[in-house]
Amino acid sequence: MPLHVPPAPAPALRTVLTALGSPTAVREARTPSLLRAQGPATPELPLPVHVLDQPAQDGTSVTRLAGWRFLIRCGDRAVAAAETMLTADGWAFSHFFEGPYIASTERALRQAETMKQSYQPRLLSVPSLYMLTLWLHGDCTADASTGHPAPTDLLVPLAPAPPGIAAHRPLRVAELLPVLSHRVTAVPLLGQIA
C-alpha cells in the first residue's frame, strides 16, 4: 500500500529552498556530502518530527511537534536532511545534517511501502534514549502536526537504535512504548547509584 506523505507547511518548504539556494548556508552546514553533491539538490519526503518526552507505561503518550524534516536528494540518493522549526514568527530553517539516520529513514520508508495497510509516515524522537523512529500512523487523513501515537500505530526504530532494540523491526506502539517507558525511568535510577 502506498504511504500517504503529508504535505509540509508551505513556509517550511520555502525556508529549506532558500537555505539550499544560499551558498553560505550550505557551506556552513558542515555536511560534506551536500557540499560535494553534483547537480541540483531538492527537498523531498517531508516528515513531521514529533518529540516524545515521557513515554507512559500504559502505552499512551503525548507528543509535541518539533519541526519538519526534508530529505535532500541529489540525483538518485538522499545526501543530507534539512530541519525546520516553528518559531514565534512562523516556520524557520534550522539546519542541514547528514549521518546514519538519512539512509535508515529511506530504508524504513521503503520497508513501509511494502506493507498491506496504508500509513501516514512521521518521525518520532525519544531524546532521553537518543532514539528516532519512523512512526506509521494508521489515520492517513489526520493532521500530521497533531496527535499522539495510537496503540495500533507502528514504530520502526531507525539505526542506530538503543541497545536491545532491533532497528527496522516494526512494532506496535502498545508493544514498544512500555519498553521505552521502562528504560526512561530506569536511566535516572542508574545515575543516582554512581
PDB file of all heavy atoms in Angstrom, residues 155-185:
ATOM      1  N   LEU A 155       5.793   1.632  15.079  1.00  0.00           N
ATOM      2  CA  LEU A 155       7.034   2.379  15.235  1.00  0.00           C
ATOM      3  C   LEU A 155       8.155   1.508  14.686  1.00  0.00           C
ATOM      4  O   LEU A 155       8.260   0.328  15.030  1.00  0.00           O
ATOM      5  CB  LEU A 155       7.304   2.715  16.708  1.00  0.00           C
ATOM      6  CG  LEU A 155       6.293   3.626  17.386  1.00  0.00           C
ATOM      7  CD1 LEU A 155       6.625   3.795  18.867  1.00  0.00           C
ATOM      8  CD2 LEU A 155       6.230   4.985  16.700  1.00  0.00           C
ATOM      9  N   VAL A 156       8.968   2.103  13.814  1.00  0.00           N
ATOM     10  CA  VAL A 156      10.101   1.394  13.226  1.00  0.00           C
ATOM     11  C   VAL A 156      11.364   2.086  13.726  1.00  0.00           C
ATOM     12  O   VAL A 156      11.707   3.174  13.250  1.00  0.00           O
ATOM     13  CB  VAL A 156      10.050   1.418  11.682  1.00  0.00           C
ATOM     14  CG1 VAL A 156      11.207   0.618  11.101  1.00  0.00           C
ATOM     15  CG2 VAL A 156       8.714   0.914  11.164  1.00  0.00           C
ATOM     16  N   PRO A 157      12.060   1.498  14.713  1.00  0.00           N
ATOM     17  CA  PRO A 157      13.286   2.128  15.215  1.00  0.00           C
ATOM     18  C   PRO A 157      14.310   2.269  14.084  1.00  0.00           C
ATOM     19  O   PRO A 157      14.547   1.333  13.319  1.00  0.00           O
ATOM     20  CB  PRO A 157      13.783   1.151  16.284  1.00  0.00           C
ATOM     21  CG  PRO A 157      12.556   0.404  16.713  1.00  0.00           C
ATOM     22  CD  PRO A 157      11.732   0.279  15.455  1.00  0.00           C
ATOM     23  N   LEU A 158      14.888   3.463  13.988  1.00  0.00           N
ATOM     24  CA  LEU A 158      15.906   3.711  12.971  1.00  0.00           C
ATOM     25  C   LEU A 158      17.283   3.382  13.529  1.00  0.00           C
ATOM     26  O   LEU A 158      17.517   3.468  14.738  1.00  0.00           O
ATOM     27  CB  LEU A 158      15.845   5.165  12.508  1.00  0.00           C
ATOM     28  CG  LEU A 158      14.516   5.612  11.892  1.00  0.00           C
ATOM     29  CD1 LEU A 158      14.598   7.072  11.446  1.00  0.00           C
ATOM     30  CD2 LEU A 158      14.110   4.722  10.732  1.00  0.00           C
ATOM     31  N   ALA A 159      18.192   3.013  12.645  1.00  0.00           N
ATOM     32  CA  ALA A 159      19.558   2.693  13.050  1.00  0.00           C
ATOM     33  C   ALA A 159      20.388   3.974  13.096  1.00  0.00           C
ATOM     34  O   ALA A 159      20.248   4.809  12.206  1.00  0.00           O
ATOM     35  CB  ALA A 159      20.165   1.702  12.063  1.00  0.00           C
ATOM     36  N   PRO A 160      21.162   4.143  14.130  1.00  0.00           N
ATOM     37  CA  PRO A 160      21.414   3.223  15.231  1.00  0.00           C
ATOM     38  C   PRO A 160      20.324   3.304  16.291  1.00  0.00           C
ATOM     39  O   PRO A 160      19.943   4.389  16.722  1.00  0.00           O
ATOM     40  CB  PRO A 160      22.751   3.694  15.793  1.00  0.00           C
ATOM     41  CG  PRO A 160      22.806   5.163  15.472  1.00  0.00           C
ATOM     42  CD  PRO A 160      22.043   5.331  14.190  1.00  0.00           C
ATOM     43  N   ALA A 161      19.849   2.146  16.709  1.00  0.00           N
ATOM     44  CA  ALA A 161      18.827   2.057  17.752  1.00  0.00           C
ATOM     45  C   ALA A 161      19.524   1.790  19.092  1.00  0.00           C
ATOM     46  O   ALA A 161      20.656   1.301  19.113  1.00  0.00           O
ATOM     47  CB  ALA A 161      17.852   0.929  17.438  1.00  0.00           C
ATOM     48  N   PRO A 162      18.851   2.105  20.192  1.00  0.00           N
ATOM     49  CA  PRO A 162      19.451   1.816  21.503  1.00  0.00           C
ATOM     50  C   PRO A 162      19.717   0.320  21.671  1.00  0.00           C
ATOM     51  O   PRO A 162      19.032  -0.507  21.057  1.00  0.00           O
ATOM     52  CB  PRO A 162      18.379   2.287  22.497  1.00  0.00           C
ATOM     53  CG  PRO A 162      17.524   3.236  21.737  1.00  0.00           C
ATOM     54  CD  PRO A 162      17.552   2.762  20.313  1.00  0.00           C
ATOM     55  N   PRO A 163      20.687  -0.043  22.492  1.00  0.00           N
ATOM     56  CA  PRO A 163      20.978  -1.462  22.724  1.00  0.00           C
ATOM     57  C   PRO A 163      19.712  -2.221  23.143  1.00  0.00           C
ATOM     58  O   PRO A 163      18.924  -1.730  23.951  1.00  0.00           O
ATOM     59  CB  PRO A 163      22.004  -1.450  23.861  1.00  0.00           C
ATOM     60  CG  PRO A 163      22.647  -0.096  23.763  1.00  0.00           C
ATOM     61  CD  PRO A 163      21.570   0.829  23.270  1.00  0.00           C
ATOM     62  N   GLY A 164      19.547  -3.396  22.566  1.00  0.00           N
ATOM     63  CA  GLY A 164      18.412  -4.236  22.909  1.00  0.00           C
ATOM     64  C   GLY A 164      17.148  -3.959  22.113  1.00  0.00           C
ATOM     65  O   GLY A 164      16.154  -4.667  22.261  1.00  0.00           O
ATOM     66  N   ILE A 165      17.163  -2.944  21.274  1.00  0.00           N
ATOM     67  CA  ILE A 165      16.010  -2.635  20.413  1.00  0.00           C
ATOM     68  C   ILE A 165      16.472  -2.811  18.969  1.00  0.00           C
ATOM     69  O   ILE A 165      17.427  -2.166  18.534  1.00  0.00           O
ATOM     70  CB  ILE A 165      15.477  -1.213  20.660  1.00  0.00           C
ATOM     71  CG1 ILE A 165      14.948  -1.110  22.095  1.00  0.00           C
ATOM     72  CG2 ILE A 165      14.393  -0.855  19.647  1.00  0.00           C
ATOM     73  CD1 ILE A 165      14.468   0.250  22.499  1.00  0.00           C
ATOM     74  N   ALA A 166      15.810  -3.690  18.254  1.00  0.00           N
ATOM     75  CA  ALA A 166      16.212  -4.001  16.882  1.00  0.00           C
ATOM     76  C   ALA A 166      15.798  -2.890  15.925  1.00  0.00           C
ATOM     77  O   ALA A 166      14.631  -2.509  15.883  1.00  0.00           O
ATOM     78  CB  ALA A 166      15.592  -5.322  16.444  1.00  0.00           C
ATOM     79  N   ALA A 167      16.767  -2.382  15.186  1.00  0.00           N
ATOM     80  CA  ALA A 167      16.472  -1.376  14.163  1.00  0.00           C
ATOM     81  C   ALA A 167      15.692  -2.031  13.030  1.00  0.00           C
ATOM     82  O   ALA A 167      15.893  -3.203  12.713  1.00  0.00           O
ATOM     83  CB  ALA A 167      17.762  -0.766  13.629  1.00  0.00           C
ATOM     84  N   HIS A 168      14.785  -1.282  12.458  1.00  0.00           N
ATOM     85  CA  HIS A 168      13.993  -1.673  11.288  1.00  0.00           C
ATOM     86  C   HIS A 168      13.034  -2.835  11.558  1.00  0.00           C
ATOM     87  O   HIS A 168      12.540  -3.445  10.615  1.00  0.00           O
ATOM     88  CB  HIS A 168      14.882  -1.964  10.079  1.00  0.00           C
ATOM     89  CG  HIS A 168      15.643  -0.748   9.656  1.00  0.00           C
ATOM     90  ND1 HIS A 168      15.042   0.294   8.996  1.00  0.00           N
ATOM     91  CD2 HIS A 168      16.922  -0.375   9.861  1.00  0.00           C
ATOM     92  CE1 HIS A 168      15.932   1.247   8.802  1.00  0.00           C
ATOM     93  NE2 HIS A 168      17.073   0.871   9.320  1.00  0.00           N
ATOM     94  N   ARG A 169      12.748  -3.099  12.805  1.00  0.00           N
ATOM     95  CA  ARG A 169      11.740  -4.111  13.150  1.00  0.00           C
ATOM     96  C   ARG A 169      10.482  -3.380  13.604  1.00  0.00           C
ATOM     97  O   ARG A 169      10.456  -2.804  14.690  1.00  0.00           O
ATOM     98  CB  ARG A 169      12.239  -5.015  14.261  1.00  0.00           C
ATOM     99  CG  ARG A 169      11.232  -6.084  14.619  1.00  0.00           C
ATOM    100  CD  ARG A 169      11.788  -7.072  15.620  1.00  0.00           C
ATOM    101  NE  ARG A 169      10.704  -7.906  16.085  1.00  0.00           N
ATOM    102  CZ  ARG A 169      10.364  -8.037  17.351  1.00  0.00           C
ATOM    103  NH1 ARG A 169      11.044  -7.410  18.287  1.00  0.00           N
ATOM    104  NH2 ARG A 169       9.360  -8.810  17.688  1.00  0.00           N
ATOM    105  N   PRO A 170       9.434  -3.354  12.757  1.00  0.00           N
ATOM    106  CA  PRO A 170       8.209  -2.639  13.124  1.00  0.00           C
ATOM    107  C   PRO A 170       7.542  -3.265  14.349  1.00  0.00           C
ATOM    108  O   PRO A 170       7.403  -4.488  14.431  1.00  0.00           O
ATOM    109  CB  PRO A 170       7.306  -2.791  11.902  1.00  0.00           C
ATOM    110  CG  PRO A 170       8.193  -3.247  10.793  1.00  0.00           C
ATOM    111  CD  PRO A 170       9.336  -3.962  11.438  1.00  0.00           C
ATOM    112  N   LEU A 171       7.170  -2.399  15.282  1.00  0.00           N
ATOM    113  CA  LEU A 171       6.465  -2.838  16.484  1.00  0.00           C
ATOM    114  C   LEU A 171       5.255  -1.944  16.707  1.00  0.00           C
ATOM    115  O   LEU A 171       5.305  -0.737  16.442  1.00  0.00           O
ATOM    116  CB  LEU A 171       7.374  -2.750  17.707  1.00  0.00           C
ATOM    117  CG  LEU A 171       8.562  -3.705  17.746  1.00  0.00           C
ATOM    118  CD1 LEU A 171       9.513  -3.325  18.866  1.00  0.00           C
ATOM    119  CD2 LEU A 171       8.082  -5.141  17.929  1.00  0.00           C
ATOM    120  N   ARG A 172       4.188  -2.515  17.200  1.00  0.00           N
ATOM    121  CA  ARG A 172       3.018  -1.717  17.564  1.00  0.00           C
ATOM    122  C   ARG A 172       3.392  -0.803  18.724  1.00  0.00           C
ATOM    123  O   ARG A 172       4.199  -1.160  19.582  1.00  0.00           O
ATOM    124  CB  ARG A 172       1.855  -2.616  17.969  1.00  0.00           C
ATOM    125  CG  ARG A 172       1.380  -3.509  16.852  1.00  0.00           C
ATOM    126  CD  ARG A 172      -0.043  -3.208  16.463  1.00  0.00           C
ATOM    127  NE  ARG A 172      -0.437  -4.026  15.324  1.00  0.00           N
ATOM    128  CZ  ARG A 172      -0.558  -3.564  14.099  1.00  0.00           C
ATOM    129  NH1 ARG A 172      -0.339  -2.304  13.848  1.00  0.00           N
ATOM    130  NH2 ARG A 172      -0.917  -4.340  13.112  1.00  0.00           N
ATOM    131  N   VAL A 173       2.781   0.374  18.739  1.00  0.00           N
ATOM    132  CA  VAL A 173       3.021   1.332  19.809  1.00  0.00           C
ATOM    133  C   VAL A 173       2.758   0.681  21.163  1.00  0.00           C
ATOM    134  O   VAL A 173       3.517   0.863  22.118  1.00  0.00           O
ATOM    135  CB  VAL A 173       2.142   2.591  19.608  1.00  0.00           C
ATOM    136  CG1 VAL A 173       2.093   3.450  20.856  1.00  0.00           C
ATOM    137  CG2 VAL A 173       2.656   3.392  18.413  1.00  0.00           C
ATOM    138  N   ALA A 174       1.689  -0.112  21.253  1.00  0.00           N
ATOM    139  CA  ALA A 174       1.328  -0.766  22.514  1.00  0.00           C
ATOM    140  C   ALA A 174       2.415  -1.735  22.992  1.00  0.00           C
ATOM    141  O   ALA A 174       2.518  -2.002  24.187  1.00  0.00           O
ATOM    142  CB  ALA A 174       0.003  -1.507  22.359  1.00  0.00           C
ATOM    143  N   GLU A 175       3.257  -2.224  22.071  1.00  0.00           N
ATOM    144  CA  GLU A 175       4.359  -3.118  22.450  1.00  0.00           C
ATOM    145  C   GLU A 175       5.621  -2.346  22.818  1.00  0.00           C
ATOM    146  O   GLU A 175       6.299  -2.688  23.781  1.00  0.00           O
ATOM    147  CB  GLU A 175       4.712  -4.046  21.281  1.00  0.00           C
ATOM    148  CG  GLU A 175       3.649  -5.028  20.870  1.00  0.00           C
ATOM    149  CD  GLU A 175       4.066  -5.751  19.605  1.00  0.00           C
ATOM    150  OE1 GLU A 175       4.786  -6.762  19.720  1.00  0.00           O
ATOM    151  OE2 GLU A 175       3.681  -5.282  18.510  1.00  0.00           O
ATOM    152  N   LEU A 176       5.955  -1.316  22.037  1.00  0.00           N
ATOM    153  CA  LEU A 176       7.237  -0.636  22.217  1.00  0.00           C
ATOM    154  C   LEU A 176       7.208   0.446  23.290  1.00  0.00           C
ATOM    155  O   LEU A 176       8.179   0.590  24.038  1.00  0.00           O
ATOM    156  CB  LEU A 176       7.701  -0.033  20.884  1.00  0.00           C
ATOM    157  CG  LEU A 176       9.102   0.591  20.875  1.00  0.00           C
ATOM    158  CD1 LEU A 176      10.162  -0.412  21.324  1.00  0.00           C
ATOM    159  CD2 LEU A 176       9.442   1.135  19.503  1.00  0.00           C
ATOM    160  N   LEU A 177       6.125   1.203  23.424  1.00  0.00           N
ATOM    161  CA  LEU A 177       6.123   2.294  24.405  1.00  0.00           C
ATOM    162  C   LEU A 177       6.329   1.840  25.846  1.00  0.00           C
ATOM    163  O   LEU A 177       7.061   2.503  26.589  1.00  0.00           O
ATOM    164  CB  LEU A 177       4.865   3.140  24.280  1.00  0.00           C
ATOM    165  CG  LEU A 177       4.868   4.163  23.144  1.00  0.00           C
ATOM    166  CD1 LEU A 177       3.687   5.110  23.264  1.00  0.00           C
ATOM    167  CD2 LEU A 177       6.159   4.942  23.043  1.00  0.00           C
ATOM    168  N   PRO A 178       5.741   0.729  26.285  1.00  0.00           N
ATOM    169  CA  PRO A 178       6.044   0.291  27.654  1.00  0.00           C
ATOM    170  C   PRO A 178       7.533  -0.023  27.859  1.00  0.00           C
ATOM    171  O   PRO A 178       8.093   0.255  28.915  1.00  0.00           O
ATOM    172  CB  PRO A 178       5.174  -0.961  27.830  1.00  0.00           C
ATOM    173  CG  PRO A 178       4.046  -0.762  26.884  1.00  0.00           C
ATOM    174  CD  PRO A 178       4.653  -0.059  25.697  1.00  0.00           C
ATOM    175  N   VAL A 179       8.190  -0.581  26.837  1.00  0.00           N
ATOM    176  CA  VAL A 179       9.623  -0.858  26.920  1.00  0.00           C
ATOM    177  C   VAL A 179      10.393   0.452  27.034  1.00  0.00           C
ATOM    178  O   VAL A 179      11.293   0.592  27.870  1.00  0.00           O
ATOM    179  CB  VAL A 179      10.099  -1.665  25.686  1.00  0.00           C
ATOM    180  CG1 VAL A 179      11.609  -1.793  25.655  1.00  0.00           C
ATOM    181  CG2 VAL A 179       9.433  -3.023  25.651  1.00  0.00           C
ATOM    182  N   LEU A 180      10.031   1.426  26.207  1.00  0.00           N
ATOM    183  CA  LEU A 180      10.703   2.724  26.260  1.00  0.00           C
ATOM    184  C   LEU A 180      10.464   3.415  27.594  1.00  0.00           C
ATOM    185  O   LEU A 180      11.381   4.007  28.169  1.00  0.00           O
ATOM    186  CB  LEU A 180      10.229   3.618  25.108  1.00  0.00           C
ATOM    187  CG  LEU A 180      10.466   3.094  23.690  1.00  0.00           C
ATOM    188  CD1 LEU A 180       9.969   4.100  22.673  1.00  0.00           C
ATOM    189  CD2 LEU A 180      11.917   2.747  23.466  1.00  0.00           C
ATOM    190  N   SER A 181       9.248   3.334  28.089  1.00  0.00           N
ATOM    191  CA  SER A 181       8.920   3.949  29.373  1.00  0.00           C
ATOM    192  C   SER A 181       9.768   3.348  30.490  1.00  0.00           C
ATOM    193  O   SER A 181      10.306   4.064  31.345  1.00  0.00           O
ATOM    194  CB  SER A 181       7.438   3.756  29.683  1.00  0.00           C
ATOM    195  OG  SER A 181       7.139   4.269  30.954  1.00  0.00           O
ATOM    196  N   HIS A 182       9.915   2.040  30.476  1.00  0.00           N
ATOM    197  CA  HIS A 182      10.732   1.369  31.489  1.00  0.00           C
ATOM    198  C   HIS A 182      12.182   1.837  31.407  1.00  0.00           C
ATOM    199  O   HIS A 182      12.824   2.100  32.425  1.00  0.00           O
ATOM    200  CB  HIS A 182      10.649  -0.151  31.311  1.00  0.00           C
ATOM    201  CG  HIS A 182      11.542  -0.895  32.241  1.00  0.00           C
ATOM    202  ND1 HIS A 182      11.298  -1.005  33.583  1.00  0.00           N
ATOM    203  CD2 HIS A 182      12.708  -1.555  32.016  1.00  0.00           C
ATOM    204  CE1 HIS A 182      12.268  -1.698  34.161  1.00  0.00           C
ATOM    205  NE2 HIS A 182      13.135  -2.046  33.216  1.00  0.00           N
ATOM    206  N   ARG A 183      12.689   1.971  30.190  1.00  0.00           N
ATOM    207  CA  ARG A 183      14.082   2.412  30.018  1.00  0.00           C
ATOM    208  C   ARG A 183      14.273   3.857  30.456  1.00  0.00           C
ATOM    209  O   ARG A 183      15.285   4.181  31.055  1.00  0.00           O
ATOM    210  CB  ARG A 183      14.512   2.246  28.568  1.00  0.00           C
ATOM    211  CG  ARG A 183      14.732   0.811  28.219  1.00  0.00           C
ATOM    212  CD  ARG A 183      15.453   0.697  26.934  1.00  0.00           C
ATOM    213  NE  ARG A 183      15.726  -0.698  26.680  1.00  0.00           N
ATOM    214  CZ  ARG A 183      16.620  -1.103  25.810  1.00  0.00           C
ATOM    215  NH1 ARG A 183      17.301  -0.229  25.115  1.00  0.00           N
ATOM    216  NH2 ARG A 183      16.824  -2.379  25.627  1.00  0.00           N
ATOM    217  N   VAL A 184      13.309   4.714  30.149  1.00  0.00           N
ATOM    218  CA  VAL A 184      13.429   6.124  30.533  1.00  0.00           C
ATOM    219  C   VAL A 184      13.423   6.258  32.050  1.00  0.00           C
ATOM    220  O   VAL A 184      14.195   7.025  32.616  1.00  0.00           O
ATOM    221  CB  VAL A 184      12.297   6.969  29.896  1.00  0.00           C
ATOM    222  CG1 VAL A 184      12.219   8.337  30.517  1.00  0.00           C
ATOM    223  CG2 VAL A 184      12.529   7.078  28.396  1.00  0.00           C
ATOM    224  N   THR A 185      12.571   5.507  32.743  1.00  0.00           N
ATOM    225  CA  THR A 185      12.518   5.607  34.201  1.00  0.00           C
ATOM    226  C   THR A 185      13.701   4.916  34.856  1.00  0.00           C
ATOM    227  O   THR A 185      14.095   5.275  35.949  1.00  0.00           O
ATOM    228  CB  THR A 185      11.201   5.026  34.762  1.00  0.00           C
ATOM    229  OG1 THR A 185      11.057   3.685  34.318  1.00  0.00           O
ATOM    230  CG2 THR A 185      10.018   5.848  34.324  1.00  0.00           C
TER     231      THR A 185
END
